[in-house]
Amino acid sequence: MKLSKILLSGAAICAATSAGAVDLEVMHWWTSGGEANAVSKLAEAWDATGNTWVDGAIAGGGDTARPIMVSRIIGGDPPAAFQFNHGRQAEELIDAGLLLDLTEVAEANNWKEIINPPSLLDACTIDGKIYCAPVNIHSWQWMWLSSAAYEKAGVPVPANWSEFMETAPKLQEAGITPLAMGGQSWQQNGAFGVMAVALGGVDAWTKVNEGKDAEAVMGPEYTKVFEAYGAAREMAKGLNVQDWNQATSAVIEGTAGAQIMGDWAQGEFALAGKVAGTDYECLPGLGETGVLSTGGDAFYFPVNSDADITAGQKELAALLVSPEVQVSFNSAKGSLPIRGDVDLTTVNECTQKGLDLLKDGKTIPDAASLLSPDTTTQLNDLLTEFWNTPAMTPAEVQQQYADIIASAD
């Protein structure tokens, strides 16, 4: 559905409570235990200014939340702010003139100088204007492993994907599912993306995702990835959960050995009182190719006819990027801050691994910034079909994947 011809009504869903203080409804999909803990840090910081954070959490993840948010906005009943991922998800809303220009806020607070890597702010910038406030760096490029599960199986915690596959039969013998995977399609596509970088290499991944090179999909590097993905499907049998945090809980509880999931999983480990390096281990790039994808979350602000609300939106945007909020929120979320001038001396060893990769420049763009939402949806559907169809071979899904990339935008 194109939005370019849809006009925003003047209706304001947020009312000024008093001069200088406003209630702002903020919509997001952070509803797991760790995520809710993290978003509470943002709410507390906003409430401390004398304003009020009206929480608009939507369960079910981004695939469920985004259509609801867009419907609210184009229907003339927008929230004051909403969470999207960095990338191309808000392009049509911006083209339709429905989102607030934050360039003035960004310039007043030196965002171009403090936000790192610059690609995060670039993802918020259209035609030279800045439309979102990045709040974190989230990377998909992680594998989380349960120390208790491997201790029960009598084998060391793997240091890479090859060792994971070698030790998987021992876990199965001990009644442990080697690989935890939830039932939502974005989880299966996300895990495939991690495997593509780790096992196929950055060059091949870049050709496919940035260059839209269908021939690269059919090349030997990606053939290796699809075969490994087929093997991973076998390692996930026996655990029937839907949400990503349920799969993470299986690793926390030791009923599953590992999970390929973004660094937001750390928020669940932290909430459960688990200690990195003791209760769980983490492998960036599956221990094979150590890179960090620089995706994450940003907040956008719909245009509003109420001047007090607009002023509050700009105040909130600045607050989200402030040093104190960056530390408190990202420490709880398991993500990395979007500014390098904050004190991170207390972070755990997994977060430190991420910071080291960021410092060394070992980063890649997030796929969401390279592929359109439509292409991403097609890949989600294809990979979840493969994951749930044992008769479908890696060669078959490889060809269909290439067909999607050939027509990708």
Side-chain angles (χ1 to χ4, degrees), residues 88 141 189 192-194 196-197 201-214 216-217 222 364-372 375-376 379 401 405 408-409:
R88 300 175 58 182
Q141 310 299 315
N189 187 20
F192 178 84
V194 175
V197 174
V202 172
D203 289 345
W205 180 89
T206 302
K207 288 178 182 178
V208 171
N209 290 273
E210 186 171 345
K212 315 298 188 293
D213 188 341
V217 177
Y222 260 63
I364 58 173
D366 187 72
S369 68
L370 303 175
L371 301 174
S372 71
T375 297
T376 299
L379 295 177
Y401 197 104
I405 292 299
D409 55 357

Side-chain angles (χ1 to χ4, degrees), residues 273-290:
K274 302 301 181 182
V275 178
T278 301
D279 301 309
Y280 68 97
E281 300 291 340
C282 53
L283 298 178
L286 307 183
E288 303 284 353
T289 304

Side-chain angles (χ1 to χ4, degrees), residues 49-375:
T49 66
N51 298 291
T52 302
W53 176 289
V54 180
D55 201 64
I58 301 173
D63 289 347
T64 298
R66 278 187 291 270
I68 296 172
M69 296 173 183
V70 171
S71 179
R72 285 276 304 271
I73 294 165
I74 66 176
D77 182 29
F82 64 97
Q83 166 212 1
F84 264 20
N85 298 122
H86 304 149
R88 300 175 58 182
Q89 296 171 353
E91 283 181 348
E92 292 185 354
L93 292 171
I94 293 170
D95 290 343
L98 301 178
L99 300 185
L100 183 65
D101 179 0
L102 299 175
T103 306
E104 175 186 300
V105 179
E107 291 176 348
N109 292 277
N110 300 312
W111 285 6
K112 286 187 177 181
E113 286 72 37
I114 63 175
I115 292 178
N116 182 52
S119 60
L120 300 179
L121 195 59
D122 291 343
C124 291
T125 305
I126 301 291
D127 296 332
K129 296 181 180 180
I130 296 170
Y131 288 94
C132 65
V135 292
N136 59 19
I137 302 169
H138 261 320
S139 176
W140 252 105
Q141 310 299 315
W142 293 92
M143 188 173 191
W144 310 94
L145 305 106
S146 166
S147 300
Y150 283 92
E151 182 178 355
K152 180 180 178 181
V155 291
V157 177
N160 52 51
W161 178 258
S162 297
E163 291 182 7
F164 168 75
M165 292 302 297
E166 290 170 1
T167 57
K170 289 291 186 181
L171 268 68
Q172 291 172 319
E173 291 173 10
I176 298 167
T177 302
L179 184 66
M181 178 68 75
Q184 296 160 320
S185 61
W186 67 267
Q187 297 179 55
Q188 285 125 36
N189 187 20
F192 178 84
V194 175
M195 296 176 70
V197 174
L199 305 180
V202 172
D203 289 345
W205 180 89
T206 302
K207 288 178 182 178
V208 171
N209 290 273
E210 186 171 345
K212 315 298 188 293
D213 188 341
E215 291 185 8
V217 177
M218 299 305 296
E221 294 86 358
Y222 260 63
T223 296
K224 177 182 178 181
V225 176
F226 282 103
E227 290 174 349
Y229 193 65
R233 179 176 62 179
E234 298 303 308
M235 296 300 100
K237 289 181 176 178
L239 182 70
N240 297 312
V241 296
Q242 182 71 8
D243 296 333
W244 70 267
N245 53 301
Q246 293 175 310
T248 305
S249 292
V251 178
I252 291 172
E253 295 163 3
T255 57
Q259 179 189 24
I260 300 173
M261 184 51 60
D263 51 18
W264 48 90
Q266 276 215 96
E268 305 303 305
F269 284 101
L271 198 64
K274 302 301 181 182
V275 178
T278 301
D279 301 309
Y280 68 97
E281 300 291 340
C282 53
L283 298 178
L286 307 183
E288 303 284 353
T289 304
V291 297
L292 196 72
S293 57
T294 51
D297 301 290
F299 279 93
Y300 293 80
F301 302 82
V303 171
N304 198 290
S305 61
D306 188 319
D308 288 337
I309 297 303
T310 300
Q313 290 172 314
K314 292 180 178 180
E315 182 183 353
L316 177 57
L319 182 72
L320 294 172
V321 182
S322 66
E324 297 79 9
V325 171
Q326 279 291 298
V327 172
S328 63
F329 171 71
N330 286 293
S331 294
K333 192 71 165 59
S335 49
L336 302 180
I338 50 89
R339 53 189 301 163
D341 59 347
V342 295
D343 182 6
L344 297 170
T345 55
T346 61
V347 299
N348 67 36
E349 66 176 58
C350 291
T351 301
Q352 189 59 55
K353 287 180 181 180
L355 289 170
D356 290 343
L357 290 169
L358 185 62
K359 179 181 178 182
D360 294 340
K362 295 181 178 179
T363 63
I364 58 173
D366 187 72
S369 68
L370 303 175
L371 301 174
S372 71
D374 180 62
T375 297

